[in-house]
């Protein structure tokens, strides 16, 4: 929801000897071995030693950062500059020196006077125009008649033009190479296909992810009949792990770890994604299960009841998705005699069951988060905890941590209480149920319209509590946004699945409604309150969550682009941006689509929010959450699915003297915070890939699919669109789209604004050619069609005037 990158550039720890994760394995060459290898031609530079890297970083001769490889152009990679204001460009695979996407690496940059461009850019407008005309004339002579003419400006200089127009490439210089791998974040596992190579003692493994190198796999590691019947495995998906990558070879070496099944099937593809991203989806071992209660059904011990505030008679209920089983938050709201309200947020007390440093705690801290796929959840904790002991199921006594406020109808907080409690939820409401109550405030709901309700609390009481919460939430939300908060909503695709096959039957754009906003508002309030409390009690040990401001250079470029497009956007602060986004972009039926495109553009400069330990960051100004515009924020409300919340619960319990004495150090909290950041990033990416996987199947089974789309960005021979009916983003390539093959393009820049002019040849000899100008916000018709590759689909541009 909130654009939640690092607090500061990654700093090396130069006071320790390298651990296993700090150095590469067998392919980490020491400089003393170089002489022995002179007879073998090296493809890659040998790595520096740890000592050389340490000295180079201290002297400022080397730069450390996290490697990002462009998934669409695998020869391009980047690391952030030391001041984190721009990116340093690594050109080519050799420059990456066997490092992989996500790895923490050290690079060496040439001095500025040695920077080079492959081709000189033509500076004068007259020279550019002359080159354009000559190129067009030459292409027209040699290009056969096509359905669409796409005229092209200076294609052979595109790379240089891009670099000159994009400061992230030219400002940083030319990188010699990666000289050291500090930490291998990439799993070194990939899904892909095997290819038989005659007269070779190995097979070639080709990863689906082009950012991963091709891998030589010994034939002895392949299926027994692979050499005699290689064709039988042409469509079989394998998982391969890289075991070595010598400096003398373009290819890595590896071993097959598993045969997944046929490419294009959901479960094999899903398992491949989970393995590639190092998500532990194995069953929990017996040692973990031994940490859980044995006597089932479990009841709360009397001695534990005596330590807690008893809220079992209060009207408390959950609001979740209809299919949710891990219910970790509940709400309550009752009106007081003075007209104010007592509002409670009640969170499952997972830390009661997950004791610090036992086997269950170790596994949970390693997993760090539950991973939500379209068809299932990979839980952080065993299902006995997630779906039973800790889940706030209706009509069951459950252990909770509560935050209870005395609050005015306008949302002003008068009093606040934290403590361990016991609740008994009276009903499990879905978002649809709560929404129905909000939309029909005077309706008398019957028992048949709702899930089973505790008879102690009449339906009318629950309905009124929901209405009161909604009213207070609206006031809290208005206060937040008037106080400078920002929310960047983007379309989210959801699926309806066949209950037996779990195949997609349909898809729709998820609607974020008042019932969602109600729950979100009180979860935010609880998280903010908890952050203030634990930081006040533990200024050196608190686990908080910051959101750094957007990158200034990217923000300046966005402002220039918006100015060119005539969009009045104020990017000076989070609050100013929010006010700009809620201003309607036009008053027609496509104003919402234009807002979606603009929101996407504004999301690009945003950094990710991060967990951190307050003792590891000395400047309190860096604690701030940019999007929420609050000084302190943390995660407290989802301990079933986030390990960071469990740490926060332990801090809270210790601060209230209702939990064990903390054995955590600041370094340990920061280390766990960093791990949670990594796992949260992985979880988000895996969730996106799962959605893409299911949508690819949906297009294959139900396509071709026609839809209107709005242009989000324009390149020289392609452009990106937001497909309005499905909320997916797709790139349309003019050179390969039917009927745009074998054609030319005219690509122009006006400041930061770019346009692509397509000239459609007439359908008959009597009609004139049709010109179509493609720029940001242009409305086009597209068709989504399945590709030959499993699970892949393309977007094809339709001729103007062809109705969807």
């Amino acid at each position: 929801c909130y654009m939640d990158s690092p607090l500061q550039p990654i700093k090396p720890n130069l006071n320790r000897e390298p651990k296993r994760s700090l150095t590469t394995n067998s392919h980490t060459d020491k400089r003393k071995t170089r002489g022995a290898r002179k007879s073998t031609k090296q493809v890659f530079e040998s790595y520096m030693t740890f000592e050389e890297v340490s000295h180079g970083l201290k002297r400022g001769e080397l730069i450390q950062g996290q490697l990002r490889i462009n998934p669409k152009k695998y020869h391009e990679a980047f690391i952030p500059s030391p001041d984190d204001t721009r990116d340093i460009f690594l050109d080519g695979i050799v420059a990456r020196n066997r490092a992989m996407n996500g790895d923490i690496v050290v690079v060496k940059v040439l001095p500025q006077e040695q920077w080079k461009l492959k081709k000189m850019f033509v500076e004068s407008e007259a020279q550019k125009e002359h080159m354009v005309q000559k190129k067009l004339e030459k292409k027209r002579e040699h290009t056969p008649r096509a359905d669409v003419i796409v005229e092209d400006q200076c294609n052979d200089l595109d790379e240089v033009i891009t670099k000159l127009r994009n400061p992230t490439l030219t400002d940083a210089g030319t990188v010699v190479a990666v000289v050291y791998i500090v930490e291998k974040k990439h799993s070194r596992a990939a899904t892909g296909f095997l290819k038989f190579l005659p007269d070779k003692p190995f097979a070639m493994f080709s990863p689906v992810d082009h950012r991963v190198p091709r891998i030589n796999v010994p034939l002895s590691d392949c299926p027994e009949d692979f050499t005699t019947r290689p064709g039988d495995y042409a469509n079989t998906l394998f998982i391969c792990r890289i075991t070595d990558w010598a400096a003398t070879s373009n290819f890595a070496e590896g071993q097959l770890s598993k045969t997944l099944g046929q490419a294009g099937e959901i479960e094999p593809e899903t398992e491949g994604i989970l393995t590639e991203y190092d998500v532990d989806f194995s069953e929990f071992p017996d040692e973990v299960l031994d940490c859980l209660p044995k006597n089932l059904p479990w009841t709360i011990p009397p001695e534990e009841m005596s330590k807690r505030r008893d809220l079992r008679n209060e009207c408390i209920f959950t609001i979740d998705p209809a299919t949710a089983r891990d219910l970790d938050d509940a709400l309550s709201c009752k009106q007081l005699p003075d007209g104010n309200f007592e509002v409670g947020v009640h969170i499952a007390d997972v830390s009661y069951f997950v004791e610090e440093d036992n086997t269950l705690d170790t596994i949970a801290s390693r997993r760090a988060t539950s991973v939500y796929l379209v068809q299932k959840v990979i839980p952080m904790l065993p299902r006995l905890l997630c779906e039973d002991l800790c889940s706030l199921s209706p009509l069951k006594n459950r252990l909770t941590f509560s935050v209870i406020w005395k609050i005015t109808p306008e949302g002003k907080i008068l009093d606040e209480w934290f403590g361990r409690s016991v609740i008994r939820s009276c009903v499990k409401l879905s978002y649809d149920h709560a929404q129905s109550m909000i939309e029909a405030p005077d309706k008398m709901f019957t028992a048949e319209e709702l899930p089973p309700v505790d008879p102690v609390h009449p339906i009318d009481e629950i309905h009124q509590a929901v209405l009161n919460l909604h009213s207070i939430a609206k006031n809290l939300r208005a206060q937040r946004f008037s106080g400078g908060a920002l929310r960047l909503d983007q379309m989210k695709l959801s699926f309806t699945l066949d209950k037996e096959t779990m195949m997609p039957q349909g898809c729709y754009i998820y609607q974020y409604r008042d019932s969602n906003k109600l729950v979100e508002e009180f979860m935010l309030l609880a998280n903010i309150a908890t952050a203030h409390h634990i930081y006040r009690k533990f200024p050196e040990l608190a686990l908080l969550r910051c959101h750094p401001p957007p990158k200034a250079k990217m923000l300046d470029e966005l402002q220039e682009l918006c100015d060119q497009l005539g969009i009045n956007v104020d990017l000076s602060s989070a609050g100013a941006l929010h006010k700009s986004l809620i201003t309607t972009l036009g008053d027609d039926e496509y104003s919402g689509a234009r807002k979606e495109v603009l929101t996407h553009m504004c999301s690009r400069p945003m950094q990710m929010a991060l967990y951190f330990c307050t003792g590891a960051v000395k400047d309190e100004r860096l604690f701030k959450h940019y999007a929420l515009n609050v000084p302190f924020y943390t995660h407290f409300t989802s301990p079933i699915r986030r390990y960071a919340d469990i740490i926060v619960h332990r801090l809270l319990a210790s601060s209230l003297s209702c939990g064990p004495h903390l054995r955590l150090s600041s370094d340990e909290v920061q280390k766990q915070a960093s791990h949670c950041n990594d796992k949260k990033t992985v979880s988000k990416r895996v969730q996106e890939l799962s959605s893409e996987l299911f949508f690819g199947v949906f297009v294959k089974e139900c396509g071709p699919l026609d839809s209107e789309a709005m242009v989000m960005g324009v390149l020289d021979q392609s452009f990106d669109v937001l497909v309005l009916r499905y909320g997916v983003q797709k790139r349309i390539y003019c050179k390969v789209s039917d009927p745009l093959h074998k054609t030319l393009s005219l690509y122009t820049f006006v400041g930061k604004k770019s346009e692509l002019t397509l000239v459609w040849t007439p359908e008959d000899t009597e009609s004139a050619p049709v010109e179509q100008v493609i720029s940001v916000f242009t409305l086009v018709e597209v068709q989504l069609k399945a590709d030959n590759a499993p699970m892949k689909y393309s977007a094809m541009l339709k001729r103007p005037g062809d109705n969807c």
Side-chain angles (χ1 to χ4, degrees):
C1 295
Y2 291 93
M3 303 326 303
D4 285 335
S5 256
L7 285 170
Q8 51 200 352
I10 301 167
K11 295 181 180 179
N13 185 344
L14 302 177
N15 299 317
R16 63 180 179 185
E17 289 302 310
K19 297 180 180 179
R20 183 182 63 82
S21 62
L22 275 173
T23 58
T24 55
N25 296 327
S26 58
H27 65 267
T28 306
D29 308 307
K30 302 297 182 183
R31 294 198 165 218
K32 62 185 179 181
T33 65
R34 290 180 180 174
R37 298 192 176 201
K38 285 184 179 178
S39 59
T40 304
K41 184 178 179 181
Q42 288 201 178
V43 177
F44 302 100
E45 284 289 320
S46 298
Y47 294 120
M48 286 184 173
T49 64
F50 178 79
E51 292 74 19
E52 289 171 319
V53 169
S54 299
H55 292 309
L57 288 169
K58 287 178 179 177
R59 292 194 297 263
E61 298 168 353
L62 304 175
I63 298 171
Q64 178 174 312
Q66 188 164 26
L67 185 71
R68 305 189 323 272
I69 302 175
N70 188 335
K72 295 180 179 178
K73 294 182 179 179
Y74 65 88
H75 59 279
E76 294 183 353
F78 310 86
I79 67 163
S81 61
D83 60 4
D84 206 30
T85 60
R86 60 195 181 200
D87 284 330
I88 295 173
F89 178 55
L90 287 84
D91 189 8
I93 297 173
V94 172
R96 295 206 293 267
N97 199 1
R98 297 163 286 168
M100 299 181 69
N101 189 59
D103 288 355
I104 308 299
V105 300
V106 175
V107 301
K108 184 177 182 180
V109 183
L110 282 171
Q112 185 168 353
E113 60 271 15
Q114 296 181 36
W115 296 359
K116 296 178 182 179
L117 287 175
K118 292 182 179 179
K119 298 185 180 181
M120 294 303 294
F121 181 63
V122 182
E123 294 181 355
S124 74
E125 293 299 321
Q127 285 176 302
K128 285 193 285 185
E129 181 64 25
H130 177 68
M131 287 191 67
V132 172
Q133 294 302 324
K134 284 190 67 178
K135 195 163 187 65
L136 288 176
E137 290 170 8
K138 185 175 180 181
K139 286 199 172 185
R140 284 171 183 147
E141 290 173 6
H142 297 89
T143 304
R145 183 180 182 279
D147 292 324
V148 180
I149 299 174
V150 190
E151 301 178 352
D152 186 9
Q153 172 177 318
C154 301
N155 278 349
D156 57 337
L157 297 177
D158 283 339
E159 182 179 356
V160 178
I161 293 172
T162 302
K163 288 185 180 182
L164 289 172
R165 294 192 179 278
N166 186 349
T168 61
L169 302 185
T170 55
D171 288 2
T174 303
V175 176
V176 175
V178 169
V179 295
Y180 192 77
I181 300 178
V182 178
E183 184 177 357
K184 293 181 178 180
K185 294 277 190 179
H186 193 280
S187 66
R188 266 54 183 180
T191 58
F193 302 92
L194 276 180
K195 182 180 179 181
F196 179 65
L197 301 176
D199 305 321
K200 296 287 185 181
F202 53 82
M204 176 65 73
F205 179 83
S206 297
V208 173
D209 185 347
H210 298 300
R211 294 172 296 180
V212 180
R214 284 178 288 179
I215 305 168
N216 292 335
V217 177
L219 288 176
S220 58
D221 206 37
C222 298
E224 289 184 6
D225 59 346
F226 176 72
T227 56
T228 57
R229 303 177 61 88
D232 292 355
Y233 297 91
N235 200 41
T236 301
L237 207 57
F238 294 90
I239 293 177
C240 184
R241 293 189 181 274
I242 293 176
T243 55
D244 191 21
W245 194 354
T248 55
S249 175
N250 285 308
F251 308 118
E253 296 176 17
Q255 291 182 333
L256 297 182
S257 59
K258 191 169 185 180
T259 304
L260 292 175
Q262 291 299 296
E265 296 179 0
I266 285 177
E267 286 309 313
E269 296 276 0
T270 297
E271 186 174 341
I273 292 170
L274 294 171
T275 304
E276 277 191 49
Y277 283 87
D278 200 23
V279 175
D280 183 359
F281 57 96
S282 63
E283 294 296 325
F284 288 93
D286 291 340
E287 310 90 85
V288 169
L289 302 179
D290 288 342
C291 299
L292 302 178
K294 299 294 184 214
N295 298 324
L296 302 175
W298 180 81
T299 56
I300 301 172
E303 62 272 18
E304 187 62 33
M305 289 287 294
S306 64
K307 301 176 185 176
R308 295 172 177 261
R309 183 169 173 176
D310 192 345
L311 301 173
R312 288 177 293 173
N313 293 324
E314 300 293 329
C315 180
I316 298 175
F317 47 87
T318 59
I319 305 176
D320 286 281
T323 57
R325 291 187 290 183
D326 50 350
L327 315 179
D328 53 10
D329 59 84
L331 294 165
S332 62
C333 181
K334 68 178 180 182
Q335 192 158 17
L336 302 173
D338 60 3
N340 294 315
F341 293 91
E342 185 180 87
V343 175
V345 170
H346 314 277
I347 307 299
D349 190 358
V350 177
S351 61
Y352 173 84
F353 296 96
V354 183
E355 297 179 12
E356 197 172 348
D357 293 332
N358 69 6
T359 309
L360 172 59
D361 185 44
T362 301
I363 295 294
S365 67
R366 193 180 303 156
R367 293 194 177 200
T369 181
S370 295
V371 180
Y372 289 81
L373 308 172
V374 170
Q375 77 279 32
K376 59 185 175 182
V377 179
I378 310 300
M380 179 183 76
L381 297 167
R383 296 194 183 276
L384 177 60
L385 281 183
C386 295
E387 300 173 8
D388 187 359
L389 301 178
C390 291
S391 187
L392 307 182
S393 304
L395 311 181
K396 292 185 178 180
N397 296 340
R398 288 292 180 256
L399 300 178
T400 47
F401 239 124
S402 296
V403 188
I404 299 175
W405 300 275
K406 183 178 180 182
I407 191 167
T408 68
E410 296 74 31
K412 182 181 179 181
I413 295 173
L414 304 175
D415 192 22
E416 182 177 77
W417 178 86
F418 292 93
R420 279 184 146 149
S421 54
V422 181
I423 71 165
R424 178 184 170 89
S425 172
C426 60
V427 65
K428 174 190 174 184
L429 297 177
S430 70
Y431 283 116
D432 288 338
H433 295 134
Q435 188 66 29
S436 298
M437 292 179 170
I438 291 169
E439 292 175 355
D442 299 322
K443 179 179 176 179
M444 299 291 289
F445 283 84
T446 64
E448 290 72 25
E449 295 176 277
L450 297 173
V453 177
D454 188 340
V456 174
H457 300 285
I459 293 175
D460 289 354
E461 182 184 4
I462 297 167
H463 188 183
Q464 190 58 51
V466 170
L467 292 175
N468 290 337
L469 286 170
H470 171 59
S471 177
I472 298 168
K474 284 198 300 182
N475 290 327
L476 289 171
R477 189 177 180 85
Q479 289 173 28
R480 280 200 308 111
F481 288 122
S482 64
L486 165 69
R487 184 182 175 92
L488 293 174
D489 286 315
Q490 297 192 54
M491 287 182 174
K492 179 185 176 184
L493 185 64
S494 295
F495 297 88
T496 53
L497 305 179
D498 183 280
K499 292 183 179 180
E500 293 183 2
T501 65
M502 300 306 286
M503 292 287 283
Q505 291 181 316
C507 60
Y508 57 95
I509 304 298
Y510 184 78
Q511 296 298 312
Y512 188 76
R513 299 174 296 175
D514 286 336
S515 56
N516 302 84
K517 295 174 184 177
L518 182 161
V519 174
E520 179 190 50
E521 212 55 50
F522 288 105
M523 296 306 114
L524 289 173
L525 191 66
N527 286 335
I528 293 168
T530 305
H532 279 268
H533 180 88
I534 63 172
Y535 180 53
R536 187 168 59 249
K537 295 290 185 177
F538 300 108
E540 295 293 315
L541 204 59
L543 177 67
L544 300 184
R545 186 167 177 79
C546 79
H547 183 201
K551 295 190 176 184
K553 181 155 286 191
M554 293 181 71
L555 217 56
D556 291 342
E557 292 173 356
L558 176 62
Q559 186 70 70
E560 186 178 345
L561 173 60
C562 290
D563 292 344
Q564 288 285 342
L565 293 169
I567 304 171
N568 185 22
V569 174
D570 185 350
L571 301 170
S572 60
S573 68
L577 175 55
H578 178 79
K579 290 175 183 176
S580 298
L581 289 173
I582 61 175
T583 302
T584 306
L585 290 168
D587 56 1
D588 60 359
E589 61 181 308
Y590 297 107
S591 59
R594 283 190 283 272
K595 182 182 177 182
E596 287 287 345
V597 170
L598 182 57
T599 298
H600 176 79
M601 291 162 57
C602 293
S603 298
R604 290 173 181 168
M606 298 296 166
Q607 303 194 65
M608 298 298 291
L610 294 173
Y611 299 112
F612 69 99
C613 178
T614 51
V617 181
K618 301 307 177 187
D619 188 348
E620 198 174 277
R621 290 172 298 180
L622 296 174
F623 294 8
K624 184 178 178 180
H625 197 290
Y626 169 82
L628 292 173
N629 195 31
V630 294
F632 309 113
Y633 187 67
T634 194
H635 274 165
F636 158 73
T637 54
S638 293
I640 287 178
R641 62 185 179 91
R642 294 188 305 228
Y643 189 77
D645 300 54
I646 294 179
I647 295 178
V648 169
H649 278 227
R650 289 171 179 165
L651 289 164
L652 187 57
S654 182
S655 73
L656 299 169
S657 301
C658 60
H661 178 71
L662 284 173
R663 300 195 297 271
L664 291 169
S665 68
S666 178
D667 287 343
E668 289 171 329
V669 173
Q670 180 59 31
K671 183 179 179 181
Q672 186 62 51
S674 178
H675 181 68
C676 288
N677 291 330
D678 290 341
K679 287 299 185 181
K680 184 172 178 61
T681 301
V682 163
S683 174
K684 183 174 181 293
R685 182 59 185 145
V686 167
Q687 186 174 346
E688 292 167 350
L689 290 171
S690 178
S691 183
E692 290 174 14
L693 180 65
F694 272 78
F695 190 65
V697 171
F698 181 73
V699 173
K700 180 181 178 182
E701 296 297 323
C702 304
L705 307 174
D706 292 338
S707 174
E708 290 179 305
M710 188 166 281
V711 177
M712 306 177 70
V714 181
L715 303 174
D716 59 339
Q717 295 185 42
S718 62
F719 55 96
D720 295 326
V721 297
L722 176 66
V723 183
L724 301 183
R725 187 171 296 170
Y726 304 103
V728 298
Q729 300 168 21
K730 204 66 181 169
R731 178 162 293 180
I732 294 178
Y733 296 92
C734 299
K735 289 288 185 177
V736 299
S737 297
D738 183 25
L740 299 182
H741 60 284
K742 299 180 181 177
T743 60
L744 306 171
S745 66
L746 175 60
Y747 178 58
T748 59
F749 266 111
V750 181
K752 291 286 179 183
K753 180 182 177 182
S754 51
E755 292 183 348
L756 184 67
T757 301
L758 309 181
V759 183
W760 294 77
T761 56
E763 294 182 295
D764 55 68
T765 56
E766 297 179 359
S767 302
V770 178
E771 255 191 27
Q772 185 179 22
V773 178
I774 304 295
S775 61
V776 175
F777 298 134
T778 298
L779 199 65
V780 297
E781 308 281 356
V782 300
Q783 185 174 83
L784 305 181
K785 296 176 66 175
D787 288 347
N788 292 329
M791 305 297 199
K792 302 296 182 183
Y793 68 97
S794 300
M796 303 296 180
L797 181 65
K798 299 183 71 176
R799 179 182 287 271
D802 289 355
N803 294 324
C804 287

